[in-house]
Amino acid sequence: MSTVSLGMPTAPALAPRRVSRQVKVGAVLVGGGAPVSVQSMTTTVTSDVDATLRQIAELTAAGCEIVRVAVPSQDDADALPEIAAKSSIPVIADIHFQPRYVFAAIDAGCAAVRVNPGNIKKFDDKVAEIAAAAAAAGTPIRIGVNAGSLDKRLLAKHGRATPEALVESALWECSLFEEHGFTDLKISVKHHDPLVMVSAYRLLARRCDYPLHLGVTEAGPAFQGTVKSAVAFGILLGEGIGDTIRVSLSAPPVEEVKVGAQILESLGLRPRRLEIVSCPSCGRAQVDVYTLTEKVTAAFEGFPVPLRVAVMGCVVNGPGEAREADLGVSSGNGKGQIFVRGEVIKTVPESQIVETLLEEAMKLC
């Protein structure tokens, strides 16, 4: 009786990872062959420390490994020391417009600082001071270039936020830090169009060895944003490009983490947890596949070990798919054949399918 492994694939299915230098964001390594990490950003007012820490705890429980918090005001900057100290995952301060908050974030002990050069007035003039402060504290900097806030000089040169414009902006800012001996950098060049974004990261990957933070910015509502992010990340990660990811959705940030983790699991870049293999249903189905799948998914939420569970609605593909899973059910005529690692162990009434699958799953732990 064979066991189906749900861990990392035994043979590489993707292109080799791009070789990059490595930065340390708190306890999380980014680049240099480290596992691709999942990030998100809080939606709370950062100065509300309790609310922000609660949301960080929720994100951590969902699988988030690095969290970013917005710092648009002095009150937010003042909250950073407590948040950075009490968060269970590394905190990155997101700075726009006011360079003085960069120094506040470094002094607060944030694990990294994200700066968007395009919307920080006279940012170039502050690079020497920022580099010195970040180097002294061992704080990495993310150069976060966005299509919507590209430096006006580059917009004038390129006409719009082209891949070339995004990359030129990022590498220019990196060169300013490099002039001061600071190379503890990672880069993002985000765009709302997945194809433009993919082109930008491909170009950037060829022109530097800094670790890359992937993101489709303003990706949209949950469904649209999930599809756009999955397409773009799938292309780039499949080519070995990308060291950390953030899915940007107009949805609660926990949903961003779930989508990001699922993308990595689907590509074999993160050990799989629960995987439901279920048929789309059709006229052959003799059971309500949708409802049964929802019940099985809910019952196995948070299951402590990686598990592939097949939920099938007819005898065409059902038995074969069920045999390829750790657990499975092939349903029809008010009954379900229960499979455990390739073997039919029993047939139960439809009403007992979910509880039987759970019972058998516990025996596998």
Side-chain angles (χ1 to χ4, degrees):
M1 188 164 56
S2 61
T3 299
V4 178
S5 172
L6 291 182
M8 302 298 281
T10 55
L14 310 179
R17 288 279 300 279
R18 164 182 169 268
V19 177
S20 77
R21 64 183 73 190
Q22 189 173 82
V23 300
K24 188 175 182 181
V25 181
V28 178
L29 299 177
V30 178
V36 179
S37 53
V38 174
Q39 303 193 22
S40 187
M41 187 171 183
T42 56
T43 57
T44 57
V45 176
T46 303
S47 59
D48 187 340
V49 173
D50 289 342
T52 300
L53 287 172
R54 280 197 301 271
Q55 191 168 77
I56 290 174
E58 293 170 0
L59 292 168
T60 304
C64 187
E65 293 158 297
I66 299 171
V67 66
R68 186 155 41 108
V69 299
V71 189
S73 74
Q74 186 62 51
D75 287 343
D76 298 316
D78 292 342
L80 290 176
E82 185 175 359
I83 292 170
K86 292 183 177 179
S87 172
S88 58
I89 57 177
V91 174
I92 297 178
D94 191 70
I95 309 298
H96 297 266
F97 306 113
Q98 293 292 345
R100 71 176 183 271
Y101 298 149
V102 175
F103 301 105
I106 292 170
D107 291 341
C110 289
V113 178
R114 180 273 176 112
V115 295
N116 187 341
N119 60 22
I120 296 182
K121 188 177 181 180
K122 296 184 178 178
F123 176 80
D124 294 357
D125 298 337
K126 297 290 184 180
V127 169
E129 296 175 58
I130 292 172
T139 306
I141 300 288
R142 171 159 74 95
I143 303 296
V145 177
N146 272 16
S149 53
L150 193 63
D151 189 294
K152 292 179 181 179
R153 295 167 294 183
L154 291 170
L155 279 176
K157 175 181 177 180
H158 293 273
R160 57 190 175 87
T162 63
E164 293 77 12
L166 295 170
V167 171
E168 184 175 343
S169 175
L171 294 180
W172 166 253
E173 301 302 337
C174 286
S175 73
L176 297 180
F177 279 95
E178 291 165 353
E179 287 178 3
H180 301 285
F182 188 86
T183 58
D184 202 8
L185 303 167
K186 57 192 178 87
I187 309 177
S188 63
V189 283
K190 297 185 180 182
H191 197 285
H192 66 272
D193 185 320
L195 296 181
V196 175
M197 175 267 200
V198 166
S199 295
Y201 277 99
R202 282 173 170 164
L203 179 59
L204 186 60
R206 291 195 297 268
R207 295 187 57 185
C208 74
D209 67 349
Y210 289 113
L212 303 182
H213 167 119
L214 301 187
V216 178
T217 191
E218 291 99 30
F223 176 75
Q224 174 181 291
T226 295
V227 172
K228 290 169 72 172
S229 298
V231 168
F233 293 178
I235 292 171
L236 290 169
L237 292 169
E239 295 175 1
I241 298 171
D243 302 290
T244 184
I245 64 172
R246 189 264 172 115
V247 176
S248 298
L249 302 177
S250 298
V254 164
E255 297 305 310
E256 297 183 349
V257 175
K258 290 179 180 178
V259 172
Q262 187 62 60
I263 290 171
L264 295 185
E265 289 178 28
S266 297
L267 292 169
L269 292 171
R270 175 181 277 205
R272 290 183 175 92
R273 294 177 292 180
L274 175 66
E275 181 182 5
I276 303 292
V277 178
S278 59
C279 69
S281 193
C282 68
R284 296 190 300 265
Q286 297 175 321
V287 67
D288 183 349
V289 177
Y290 307 144
T291 299
L292 179 58
T293 301
E294 288 176 357
K295 289 180 178 178
V296 171
T297 301
F300 281 87
E301 180 91 22
F303 200 75
V305 298
L307 202 66
R308 180 181 288 125
V309 182
V311 181
M312 309 303 294
C314 77
V315 297
V316 174
N317 292 320
E321 290 290 354
R323 287 191 179 95
E324 291 300 314
D326 288 304
L327 293 173
V329 59
S330 181
S331 307
N333 294 322
K335 299 177 291 185
Q337 276 191 325
I338 305 297
F339 292 76
V340 176
R341 289 180 170 163
E343 301 291 336
V344 178
I345 62 162
K346 65 178 73 174
T347 300
V348 300
E350 187 177 321
S351 61
Q352 297 177 20
I353 288 174
V354 176
E355 63 181 89
T356 304
L357 287 173
L358 270 175
E359 289 171 1
E360 296 302 325
M362 294 306 296
K363 296 176 184 177
L364 297 177
C365 290

